[in-house]
mmCIF file of all heavy atoms in Angstrom:
data_model
loop_
_atom_site.group_PDB
_atom_site.id
_atom_site.type_symbol
_atom_site.label_atom_id
_atom_site.label_comp_id
_atom_site.label_asym_id
_atom_site.label_seq_id
_atom_site.Cartn_x
_atom_site.Cartn_y
_atom_site.Cartn_z
ATOM 1 N N VAL A 20 -5.875 1.464 -8.728
ATOM 2 C CA VAL A 20 -6.219 2.232 -7.527
ATOM 3 C C VAL A 20 -7.136 3.375 -7.946
ATOM 4 O O VAL A 20 -6.723 4.249 -8.715
ATOM 5 C CB VAL A 20 -4.945 2.787 -6.849
ATOM 6 C CG1 VAL A 20 -5.314 3.661 -5.649
ATOM 7 C CG2 VAL A 20 -4.030 1.651 -6.415
ATOM 8 N N LEU A 21 -8.366 3.346 -7.474
ATOM 9 C CA LEU A 21 -9.288 4.452 -7.768
ATOM 10 C C LEU A 21 -9.151 5.484 -6.653
ATOM 11 O O LEU A 21 -9.597 5.245 -5.527
ATOM 12 C CB LEU A 21 -10.734 3.939 -7.840
ATOM 13 C CG LEU A 21 -11.033 2.896 -8.927
ATOM 14 C CD1 LEU A 21 -12.494 2.434 -8.847
ATOM 15 C CD2 LEU A 21 -10.733 3.458 -10.315
ATOM 16 N N GLY A 22 -8.477 6.593 -6.939
ATOM 17 C CA GLY A 22 -8.264 7.626 -5.923
ATOM 18 C C GLY A 22 -6.886 7.510 -5.289
ATOM 19 O O GLY A 22 -6.761 7.127 -4.120
ATOM 20 N N ALA A 23 -5.848 7.844 -6.087
ATOM 21 C CA ALA A 23 -4.471 7.732 -5.566
ATOM 22 C C ALA A 23 -4.129 8.982 -4.764
ATOM 23 O O ALA A 23 -3.254 9.760 -5.121
ATOM 24 C CB ALA A 23 -3.490 7.542 -6.713
ATOM 25 N N GLY A 24 -4.851 9.174 -3.665
ATOM 26 C CA GLY A 24 -4.586 10.314 -2.769
ATOM 27 C C GLY A 24 -3.594 9.906 -1.706
ATOM 28 O O GLY A 24 -2.652 9.160 -1.972
ATOM 29 N N LYS A 25 -3.852 10.377 -0.472
ATOM 30 C CA LYS A 25 -2.916 10.135 0.628
ATOM 31 C C LYS A 25 -2.766 8.618 0.877
ATOM 32 O O LYS A 25 -1.684 8.063 0.750
ATOM 33 C CB LYS A 25 -3.454 10.829 1.883
ATOM 34 C CG LYS A 25 -2.368 11.438 2.739
ATOM 35 C CD LYS A 25 -2.977 12.169 3.950
ATOM 36 C CE LYS A 25 -4.070 13.154 3.596
ATOM 37 N NZ LYS A 25 -5.255 13.114 4.458
ATOM 38 N N MET A 26 -3.868 7.971 1.205
ATOM 39 C CA MET A 26 -3.774 6.563 1.603
ATOM 40 C C MET A 26 -3.561 5.655 0.393
ATOM 41 O O MET A 26 -2.734 4.743 0.434
ATOM 42 C CB MET A 26 -5.043 6.178 2.375
ATOM 43 C CG MET A 26 -4.963 4.875 3.075
ATOM 44 S SD MET A 26 -3.473 4.592 4.061
ATOM 45 C CE MET A 26 -3.929 5.329 5.608
ATOM 46 N N GLY A 27 -4.284 5.928 -0.706
ATOM 47 C CA GLY A 27 -4.081 5.126 -1.926
ATOM 48 C C GLY A 27 -2.635 5.241 -2.390
ATOM 49 O O GLY A 27 -2.024 4.254 -2.817
ATOM 50 N N GLY A 28 -2.068 6.448 -2.291
ATOM 51 C CA GLY A 28 -0.688 6.688 -2.711
ATOM 52 C C GLY A 28 0.322 5.953 -1.841
ATOM 53 O O GLY A 28 1.315 5.415 -2.336
ATOM 54 N N ILE A 29 0.063 5.912 -0.534
ATOM 55 C CA ILE A 29 0.965 5.198 0.394
ATOM 56 C C ILE A 29 1.040 3.714 0.003
ATOM 57 O O ILE A 29 2.114 3.122 -0.073
ATOM 58 C CB ILE A 29 0.461 5.338 1.861
ATOM 59 C CG1 ILE A 29 0.716 6.753 2.385
ATOM 60 C CG2 ILE A 29 1.105 4.297 2.767
ATOM 61 C CD1 ILE A 29 0.075 7.041 3.749
ATOM 62 N N THR A 48 -6.189 6.279 -10.647
ATOM 63 C CA THR A 48 -6.951 7.462 -11.077
ATOM 64 C C THR A 48 -6.949 8.511 -9.969
ATOM 65 O O THR A 48 -6.715 8.203 -8.793
ATOM 66 C CB THR A 48 -8.428 7.118 -11.410
ATOM 67 O OG1 THR A 48 -9.074 6.662 -10.208
ATOM 68 C CG2 THR A 48 -8.539 6.066 -12.492
ATOM 69 N N VAL A 49 -7.202 9.754 -10.388
ATOM 70 C CA VAL A 49 -7.433 10.861 -9.458
ATOM 71 C C VAL A 49 -8.720 11.555 -9.894
ATOM 72 O O VAL A 49 -9.255 11.249 -10.956
ATOM 73 C CB VAL A 49 -6.246 11.859 -9.432
ATOM 74 C CG1 VAL A 49 -5.027 11.236 -8.767
ATOM 75 C CG2 VAL A 49 -5.901 12.354 -10.824
ATOM 76 N N GLY A 50 -9.194 12.501 -9.078
ATOM 77 C CA GLY A 50 -10.490 13.106 -9.367
ATOM 78 C C GLY A 50 -10.450 14.198 -10.431
ATOM 79 O O GLY A 50 -11.367 14.348 -11.226
ATOM 80 N N PHE A 51 -9.364 14.974 -10.435
ATOM 81 C CA PHE A 51 -9.311 16.156 -11.309
ATOM 82 C C PHE A 51 -8.164 16.067 -12.303
ATOM 83 O O PHE A 51 -7.050 15.639 -11.946
ATOM 84 C CB PHE A 51 -9.144 17.425 -10.468
ATOM 85 C CG PHE A 51 -10.345 17.710 -9.621
ATOM 86 C CD1 PHE A 51 -10.336 17.384 -8.273
ATOM 87 C CD2 PHE A 51 -11.498 18.265 -10.159
ATOM 88 C CE1 PHE A 51 -11.459 17.605 -7.476
ATOM 89 C CE2 PHE A 51 -12.622 18.494 -9.385
ATOM 90 C CZ PHE A 51 -12.603 18.165 -8.030
ATOM 91 N N ALA A 52 -8.431 16.521 -13.521
ATOM 92 C CA ALA A 52 -7.416 16.477 -14.580
ATOM 93 C C ALA A 52 -6.142 17.195 -14.146
ATOM 94 O O ALA A 52 -5.032 16.743 -14.465
ATOM 95 C CB ALA A 52 -7.987 17.101 -15.851
ATOM 96 N N GLU A 53 -6.282 18.295 -13.374
ATOM 97 C CA GLU A 53 -5.110 19.073 -12.934
ATOM 98 C C GLU A 53 -4.195 18.239 -12.026
ATOM 99 O O GLU A 53 -3.022 18.575 -11.852
ATOM 100 C CB GLU A 53 -5.515 20.336 -12.165
ATOM 101 C CG GLU A 53 -6.546 21.234 -12.859
ATOM 102 C CD GLU A 53 -7.971 20.763 -12.594
ATOM 103 O OE1 GLU A 53 -8.486 21.003 -11.495
ATOM 104 O OE2 GLU A 53 -8.569 20.143 -13.498
ATOM 105 N N GLU A 54 -4.761 17.202 -11.389
ATOM 106 C CA GLU A 54 -3.964 16.390 -10.458
ATOM 107 C C GLU A 54 -3.179 15.273 -11.160
ATOM 108 O O GLU A 54 -2.299 14.658 -10.557
ATOM 109 C CB GLU A 54 -4.881 15.754 -9.402
ATOM 110 C CG GLU A 54 -5.589 16.739 -8.507
ATOM 111 C CD GLU A 54 -4.628 17.592 -7.693
ATOM 112 O OE1 GLU A 54 -3.566 17.072 -7.310
ATOM 113 O OE2 GLU A 54 -4.918 18.779 -7.487
ATOM 114 N N VAL A 55 -3.523 15.016 -12.442
ATOM 115 C CA VAL A 55 -2.887 13.886 -13.137
ATOM 116 C C VAL A 55 -1.374 14.089 -13.241
ATOM 117 O O VAL A 55 -0.595 13.170 -12.981
ATOM 118 C CB VAL A 55 -3.516 13.679 -14.539
ATOM 119 C CG1 VAL A 55 -2.740 12.626 -15.328
ATOM 120 C CG2 VAL A 55 -4.973 13.259 -14.408
ATOM 121 N N ALA A 58 0.367 13.531 -9.864
ATOM 122 C CA ALA A 58 0.322 12.108 -9.515
ATOM 123 C C ALA A 58 1.268 11.310 -10.416
ATOM 124 O O ALA A 58 1.933 10.373 -9.959
ATOM 125 C CB ALA A 58 -1.105 11.577 -9.633
ATOM 126 N N THR A 68 -4.898 8.339 -14.779
ATOM 127 C CA THR A 68 -5.889 9.105 -15.539
ATOM 128 C C THR A 68 -6.997 9.553 -14.592
ATOM 129 O O THR A 68 -6.952 9.280 -13.387
ATOM 130 C CB THR A 68 -6.584 8.241 -16.634
ATOM 131 O OG1 THR A 68 -7.445 7.291 -15.972
ATOM 132 C CG2 THR A 68 -5.600 7.514 -17.503
ATOM 133 N N THR A 69 -8.014 10.191 -15.186
ATOM 134 C CA THR A 69 -9.229 10.498 -14.417
ATOM 135 C C THR A 69 -10.364 9.557 -14.856
ATOM 136 O O THR A 69 -11.491 9.698 -14.393
ATOM 137 C CB THR A 69 -9.678 11.955 -14.659
ATOM 138 O OG1 THR A 69 -9.786 12.159 -16.070
ATOM 139 C CG2 THR A 69 -8.697 12.948 -14.069
ATOM 140 N N HIS A 70 -10.055 8.623 -15.763
ATOM 141 C CA HIS A 70 -11.101 7.763 -16.324
ATOM 142 C C HIS A 70 -11.212 6.459 -15.532
ATOM 143 O O HIS A 70 -10.500 5.494 -15.807
ATOM 144 C CB HIS A 70 -10.807 7.468 -17.795
ATOM 145 C CG HIS A 70 -10.682 8.703 -18.621
ATOM 146 N ND1 HIS A 70 -11.747 9.561 -18.830
ATOM 147 C CD2 HIS A 70 -9.622 9.253 -19.243
ATOM 148 C CE1 HIS A 70 -11.345 10.588 -19.567
ATOM 149 N NE2 HIS A 70 -10.056 10.437 -19.823
ATOM 150 N N ASN A 71 -12.102 6.465 -14.565
ATOM 151 C CA ASN A 71 -12.212 5.303 -13.675
ATOM 152 C C ASN A 71 -12.589 4.033 -14.427
ATOM 153 O O ASN A 71 -11.990 2.973 -14.210
ATOM 154 C CB ASN A 71 -13.237 5.584 -12.576
ATOM 155 C CG ASN A 71 -12.741 6.645 -11.613
ATOM 156 O OD1 ASN A 71 -11.583 6.615 -11.208
ATOM 157 N ND2 ASN A 71 -13.591 7.599 -11.261
ATOM 158 N N VAL A 83 -10.310 0.730 -3.923
ATOM 159 C CA VAL A 83 -11.110 1.960 -3.935
ATOM 160 C C VAL A 83 -10.670 2.821 -2.763
ATOM 161 O O VAL A 83 -10.887 2.454 -1.600
ATOM 162 C CB VAL A 83 -12.616 1.628 -3.836
ATOM 163 C CG1 VAL A 83 -13.444 2.894 -4.004
ATOM 164 C CG2 VAL A 83 -13.011 0.585 -4.870
ATOM 165 N N SER A 84 -10.045 3.960 -3.066
ATOM 166 C CA SER A 84 -9.538 4.804 -1.972
ATOM 167 C C SER A 84 -9.945 6.260 -2.151
ATOM 168 O O SER A 84 -9.190 7.169 -1.812
ATOM 169 C CB SER A 84 -8.025 4.651 -1.830
ATOM 170 O OG SER A 84 -7.386 4.877 -3.054
ATOM 171 N N VAL A 85 -11.162 6.456 -2.677
ATOM 172 C CA VAL A 85 -11.738 7.804 -2.692
ATOM 173 C C VAL A 85 -12.392 8.065 -1.330
ATOM 174 O O VAL A 85 -12.497 7.159 -0.506
ATOM 175 C CB VAL A 85 -12.777 7.977 -3.834
ATOM 176 C CG1 VAL A 85 -12.108 7.845 -5.195
ATOM 177 C CG2 VAL A 85 -13.914 6.963 -3.702
ATOM 178 N N LYS A 86 -12.833 9.293 -1.114
ATOM 179 C CA LYS A 86 -13.500 9.637 0.152
ATOM 180 C C LYS A 86 -14.850 8.902 0.241
ATOM 181 O O LYS A 86 -15.474 8.631 -0.801
ATOM 182 C CB LYS A 86 -13.744 11.150 0.214
ATOM 183 C CG LYS A 86 -12.450 11.958 0.279
ATOM 184 C CD LYS A 86 -11.894 11.959 1.667
ATOM 185 C CE LYS A 86 -10.773 12.972 1.812
ATOM 186 N NZ LYS A 86 -10.049 12.781 3.081
ATOM 187 N N PRO A 87 -15.306 8.630 1.460
ATOM 188 C CA PRO A 87 -16.554 7.862 1.593
ATOM 189 C C PRO A 87 -17.726 8.446 0.795
ATOM 190 O O PRO A 87 -18.489 7.705 0.169
ATOM 191 C CB PRO A 87 -16.827 7.915 3.102
ATOM 192 C CG PRO A 87 -15.478 8.078 3.717
ATOM 193 C CD PRO A 87 -14.669 8.902 2.755
ATOM 194 N N HIS A 88 -17.860 9.777 0.769
ATOM 195 C CA HIS A 88 -19.028 10.357 0.091
ATOM 196 C C HIS A 88 -18.900 10.293 -1.437
ATOM 197 O O HIS A 88 -19.865 10.553 -2.146
ATOM 198 C CB HIS A 88 -19.266 11.799 0.553
ATOM 199 C CG HIS A 88 -18.200 12.751 0.121
ATOM 200 N ND1 HIS A 88 -16.990 12.822 0.756
ATOM 201 C CD2 HIS A 88 -18.166 13.662 -0.873
ATOM 202 C CE1 HIS A 88 -16.246 13.738 0.168
ATOM 203 N NE2 HIS A 88 -16.942 14.266 -0.825
ATOM 204 N N GLN A 89 -17.698 9.939 -1.936
ATOM 205 C CA GLN A 89 -17.498 9.867 -3.392
ATOM 206 C C GLN A 89 -17.687 8.450 -3.919
ATOM 207 O O GLN A 89 -17.739 8.236 -5.129
ATOM 208 C CB GLN A 89 -16.062 10.319 -3.738
ATOM 209 C CG GLN A 89 -15.800 11.776 -3.382
ATOM 210 C CD GLN A 89 -14.306 12.101 -3.325
ATOM 211 O OE1 GLN A 89 -13.489 11.246 -3.000
ATOM 212 N NE2 GLN A 89 -13.973 13.334 -3.644
ATOM 213 N N ILE A 90 -17.810 7.498 -3.019
ATOM 214 C CA ILE A 90 -17.679 6.099 -3.439
ATOM 215 C C ILE A 90 -18.829 5.640 -4.336
ATOM 216 O O ILE A 90 -18.612 4.971 -5.338
ATOM 217 C CB ILE A 90 -17.480 5.181 -2.204
ATOM 218 C CG1 ILE A 90 -16.930 3.839 -2.647
ATOM 219 C CG2 ILE A 90 -18.707 5.018 -1.378
ATOM 220 C CD1 ILE A 90 -16.314 3.029 -1.528
ATOM 221 N N ALA A 92 -20.754 7.284 -6.446
ATOM 222 C CA ALA A 92 -20.633 7.812 -7.810
ATOM 223 C C ALA A 92 -19.523 7.098 -8.575
ATOM 224 O O ALA A 92 -19.693 6.737 -9.742
ATOM 225 C CB ALA A 92 -20.355 9.316 -7.753
ATOM 226 N N VAL A 93 -18.396 6.863 -7.910
ATOM 227 C CA VAL A 93 -17.265 6.209 -8.579
ATOM 228 C C VAL A 93 -17.623 4.761 -8.955
ATOM 229 O O VAL A 93 -17.330 4.301 -10.058
ATOM 230 C CB VAL A 93 -16.004 6.270 -7.688
ATOM 231 C CG1 VAL A 93 -14.905 5.357 -8.208
ATOM 232 C CG2 VAL A 93 -15.494 7.707 -7.599
ATOM 233 N N GLU A 96 -19.832 4.577 -11.903
ATOM 234 C CA GLU A 96 -19.069 4.842 -13.121
ATOM 235 C C GLU A 96 -18.422 3.559 -13.676
ATOM 236 O O GLU A 96 -18.356 3.364 -14.879
ATOM 237 C CB GLU A 96 -17.945 5.815 -12.738
ATOM 238 C CG GLU A 96 -17.654 6.925 -13.724
ATOM 239 C CD GLU A 96 -16.551 7.799 -13.149
ATOM 240 O OE1 GLU A 96 -16.747 8.388 -12.060
ATOM 241 O OE2 GLU A 96 -15.498 7.870 -13.767
ATOM 242 N N SER A 109 -12.070 -1.952 -0.623
ATOM 243 C CA SER A 109 -12.359 -0.550 -0.288
ATOM 244 C C SER A 109 -11.736 -0.179 1.053
ATOM 245 O O SER A 109 -11.811 -0.947 2.002
ATOM 246 C CB SER A 109 -13.875 -0.363 -0.197
ATOM 247 O OG SER A 109 -14.168 0.820 0.531
ATOM 248 N N ILE A 110 -11.135 1.016 1.096
ATOM 249 C CA ILE A 110 -10.605 1.493 2.381
ATOM 250 C C ILE A 110 -11.457 2.638 2.926
ATOM 251 O O ILE A 110 -11.056 3.310 3.892
ATOM 252 C CB ILE A 110 -9.127 1.933 2.272
ATOM 253 C CG1 ILE A 110 -8.956 3.120 1.316
ATOM 254 C CG2 ILE A 110 -8.236 0.784 1.869
ATOM 255 C CD1 ILE A 110 -7.563 3.764 1.416
ATOM 256 N N ALA A 111 -12.611 2.884 2.308
ATOM 257 C CA ALA A 111 -13.428 4.032 2.712
ATOM 258 C C ALA A 111 -14.002 3.831 4.118
ATOM 259 O O ALA A 111 -14.693 2.838 4.376
ATOM 260 C CB ALA A 111 -14.549 4.237 1.704
ATOM 261 N N ALA A 112 -13.734 4.775 4.995
ATOM 262 C CA ALA A 112 -14.210 4.682 6.380
ATOM 263 C C ALA A 112 -15.735 4.690 6.404
ATOM 264 O O ALA A 112 -16.379 5.495 5.726
ATOM 265 C CB ALA A 112 -13.660 5.856 7.188
ATOM 266 N N GLY A 113 -16.285 3.784 7.185
ATOM 267 C CA GLY A 113 -17.731 3.800 7.426
ATOM 268 C C GLY A 113 -18.578 3.226 6.301
ATOM 269 O O GLY A 113 -19.804 3.190 6.423
ATOM 270 N N VAL A 114 -17.976 2.789 5.206
ATOM 271 C CA VAL A 114 -18.784 2.303 4.080
ATOM 272 C C VAL A 114 -18.874 0.777 4.128
ATOM 273 O O VAL A 114 -17.874 0.078 3.924
ATOM 274 C CB VAL A 114 -18.177 2.749 2.726
ATOM 275 C CG1 VAL A 114 -19.027 2.236 1.571
ATOM 276 C CG2 VAL A 114 -18.059 4.266 2.677
ATOM 277 N N ALA A 132 -11.371 -2.698 4.035
ATOM 278 C CA ALA A 132 -10.123 -2.584 4.802
ATOM 279 C C ALA A 132 -10.096 -1.265 5.555
ATOM 280 O O ALA A 132 -10.648 -0.265 5.091
ATOM 281 C CB ALA A 132 -8.933 -2.638 3.845
ATOM 282 N N MET A 133 -9.500 -1.276 6.725
ATOM 283 C CA MET A 133 -9.272 -0.020 7.447
ATOM 284 C C MET A 133 -7.791 0.072 7.822
ATOM 285 O O MET A 133 -7.341 -0.493 8.818
ATOM 286 C CB MET A 133 -10.174 0.039 8.693
ATOM 287 C CG MET A 133 -9.994 1.286 9.558
ATOM 288 S SD MET A 133 -9.866 2.877 8.687
ATOM 289 C CE MET A 133 -11.369 2.942 7.754
ATOM 290 N N PRO A 134 -7.009 0.747 6.971
ATOM 291 C CA PRO A 134 -5.579 0.925 7.284
ATOM 292 C C PRO A 134 -5.387 2.167 8.153
ATOM 293 O O PRO A 134 -6.361 2.820 8.528
ATOM 294 C CB PRO A 134 -4.971 1.145 5.897
ATOM 295 C CG PRO A 134 -6.073 1.749 5.083
ATOM 296 C CD PRO A 134 -7.387 1.332 5.692
ATOM 297 N N ASN A 135 -4.155 2.491 8.492
ATOM 298 C CA ASN A 135 -3.884 3.787 9.137
ATOM 299 C C ASN A 135 -2.593 4.388 8.580
ATOM 300 O O ASN A 135 -1.832 3.699 7.880
ATOM 301 C CB ASN A 135 -3.911 3.706 10.669
ATOM 302 C CG ASN A 135 -2.858 2.802 11.256
ATOM 303 O OD1 ASN A 135 -2.003 2.278 10.564
ATOM 304 N ND2 ASN A 135 -2.913 2.620 12.559
ATOM 305 N N THR A 136 -2.368 5.670 8.852
ATOM 306 C CA THR A 136 -1.288 6.378 8.149
ATOM 307 C C THR A 136 0.135 5.916 8.511
ATOM 308 O O THR A 136 1.028 6.126 7.682
ATOM 309 C CB THR A 136 -1.390 7.904 8.344
ATOM 310 O OG1 THR A 136 -1.509 8.162 9.740
ATOM 311 C CG2 THR A 136 -2.552 8.499 7.596
ATOM 312 N N PRO A 137 0.408 5.285 9.659
ATOM 313 C CA PRO A 137 1.761 4.750 9.844
ATOM 314 C C PRO A 137 2.139 3.737 8.758
ATOM 315 O O PRO A 137 3.295 3.314 8.670
ATOM 316 C CB PRO A 137 1.710 4.140 11.254
ATOM 317 C CG PRO A 137 0.698 4.971 11.961
ATOM 318 C CD PRO A 137 -0.361 5.249 10.912
ATOM 319 N N THR A 183 -12.105 1.840 13.054
ATOM 320 C CA THR A 183 -11.875 3.167 12.472
ATOM 321 C C THR A 183 -11.626 4.173 13.589
ATOM 322 O O THR A 183 -10.698 5.004 13.513
ATOM 323 C CB THR A 183 -13.102 3.586 11.627
ATOM 324 O OG1 THR A 183 -13.342 2.568 10.654
ATOM 325 C CG2 THR A 183 -12.874 4.922 10.937
ATOM 326 N N SER A 186 -7.889 2.511 15.620
ATOM 327 C CA SER A 186 -6.583 2.534 14.918
ATOM 328 C C SER A 186 -6.584 3.413 13.673
ATOM 329 O O SER A 186 -5.525 3.911 13.280
ATOM 330 C CB SER A 186 -6.158 1.111 14.549
ATOM 331 O OG SER A 186 -7.137 0.480 13.755
ATOM 332 N N GLY A 187 -7.757 3.621 13.045
ATOM 333 C CA GLY A 187 -7.809 4.521 11.882
ATOM 334 C C GLY A 187 -7.521 5.951 12.304
ATOM 335 O O GLY A 187 -6.670 6.637 11.734
ATOM 336 N N SER A 188 -8.216 6.401 13.344
ATOM 337 C CA SER A 188 -8.023 7.768 13.848
ATOM 338 C C SER A 188 -6.888 7.843 14.861
ATOM 339 O O SER A 188 -6.366 8.932 15.128
ATOM 340 C CB SER A 188 -9.309 8.253 14.546
ATOM 341 O OG SER A 188 -10.411 8.146 13.677
ATOM 342 N N PRO A 190 -3.642 7.357 15.178
ATOM 343 C CA PRO A 190 -2.393 8.098 15.047
ATOM 344 C C PRO A 190 -2.539 9.572 15.463
ATOM 345 O O PRO A 190 -1.624 10.137 16.078
ATOM 346 C CB PRO A 190 -2.061 7.964 13.560
ATOM 347 C CG PRO A 190 -2.654 6.636 13.180
ATOM 348 C CD PRO A 190 -3.942 6.552 13.980
ATOM 349 N N LEU A 280 -20.707 8.485 8.790
ATOM 350 C CA LEU A 280 -20.020 9.094 7.639
ATOM 351 C C LEU A 280 -20.744 8.955 6.311
ATOM 352 O O LEU A 280 -21.021 9.942 5.642
ATOM 353 C CB LEU A 280 -18.637 8.467 7.474
ATOM 354 C CG LEU A 280 -17.443 9.205 8.064
ATOM 355 C CD1 LEU A 280 -16.165 8.482 7.687
ATOM 356 C CD2 LEU A 280 -17.400 10.656 7.612
HETATM 357 N N1 LIG B 301 -6.080 9.198 5.639
HETATM 358 C C1 LIG B 301 -6.299 8.263 6.561
HETATM 359 O O1 LIG B 301 -5.773 8.260 7.667
HETATM 360 C C2 LIG B 301 -7.207 7.111 6.232
HETATM 361 C C3 LIG B 301 -7.174 5.956 7.048
HETATM 362 C C4 LIG B 301 -8.003 4.899 6.718
HETATM 363 C C5 LIG B 301 -8.860 4.984 5.644
HETATM 364 N N2 LIG B 301 -8.890 6.133 4.906
HETATM 365 C C6 LIG B 301 -9.835 6.206 3.805
HETATM 366 O O2 LIG B 301 -9.092 6.391 2.622
HETATM 367 C C7 LIG B 301 -9.901 7.085 1.691
HETATM 368 C C8 LIG B 301 -9.071 8.193 1.079
HETATM 369 O O3 LIG B 301 -8.666 9.074 2.101
HETATM 370 P P1 LIG B 301 -7.394 9.996 1.894
HETATM 371 O O4 LIG B 301 -7.086 10.558 3.222
HETATM 372 O O5 LIG B 301 -6.353 9.250 1.133
HETATM 373 O O6 LIG B 301 -8.050 11.142 0.967
HETATM 374 P P2 LIG B 301 -7.421 11.965 -0.233
HETATM 375 O O7 LIG B 301 -5.974 12.192 -0.006
HETATM 376 O O8 LIG B 301 -8.326 13.133 -0.466
HETATM 377 O O9 LIG B 301 -7.557 10.975 -1.480
HETATM 378 C C9 LIG B 301 -8.716 10.832 -2.227
HETATM 379 C C10 LIG B 301 -8.301 10.622 -3.656
HETATM 380 O O10 LIG B 301 -9.461 10.354 -4.425
HETATM 381 C C11 LIG B 301 -9.370 11.083 -5.624
HETATM 382 N N3 LIG B 301 -10.687 11.269 -6.182
HETATM 383 C C12 LIG B 301 -11.666 12.138 -5.826
HETATM 384 N N4 LIG B 301 -12.744 11.986 -6.620
HETATM 385 C C13 LIG B 301 -12.428 10.993 -7.484
HETATM 386 C C14 LIG B 301 -13.116 10.413 -8.564
HETATM 387 N N5 LIG B 301 -14.355 10.762 -8.909
HETATM 388 N N6 LIG B 301 -12.496 9.458 -9.284
HETATM 389 C C15 LIG B 301 -11.219 9.051 -8.954
HETATM 390 N N7 LIG B 301 -10.520 9.578 -7.942
HETATM 391 C C16 LIG B 301 -11.129 10.551 -7.229
HETATM 392 C C17 LIG B 301 -8.707 12.365 -5.224
HETATM 393 O O11 LIG B 301 -8.193 13.005 -6.383
HETATM 394 P P3 LIG B 301 -8.092 14.633 -6.443
HETATM 395 O O12 LIG B 301 -6.973 14.999 -5.526
HETATM 396 O O13 LIG B 301 -7.811 14.900 -7.873
HETATM 397 O O14 LIG B 301 -9.435 15.122 -5.975
HETATM 398 C C18 LIG B 301 -7.625 11.835 -4.304
HETATM 399 O O15 LIG B 301 -6.539 11.400 -5.081
HETATM 400 C C19 LIG B 301 -11.130 7.589 2.431
HETATM 401 O O16 LIG B 301 -12.257 6.834 2.067
HETATM 402 C C20 LIG B 301 -10.784 7.380 3.877
HETATM 403 O O17 LIG B 301 -11.927 7.063 4.642
HETATM 404 C C21 LIG B 301 -8.063 7.178 5.149
#
Side-chain angles (χ1 to χ4, degrees):
V20 176
L21 299 178
K25 217 178 309 136
M26 192 48 86
I29 287 172
T48 64
V49 290
F51 293 101
E53 309 85 77
E54 297 299 326
V55 173
T68 71
T69 53
H70 303 295
N71 291 316
V83 186
S84 53
V85 296
K86 294 281 191 192
H88 68 282
Q89 296 163 330
I90 197 163
V93 168
E96 221 178 299
S109 161
I110 63 168
V114 180
M133 178 44 57
N135 63 6
T136 51
T183 304
S186 57
S188 305
L280 263 185

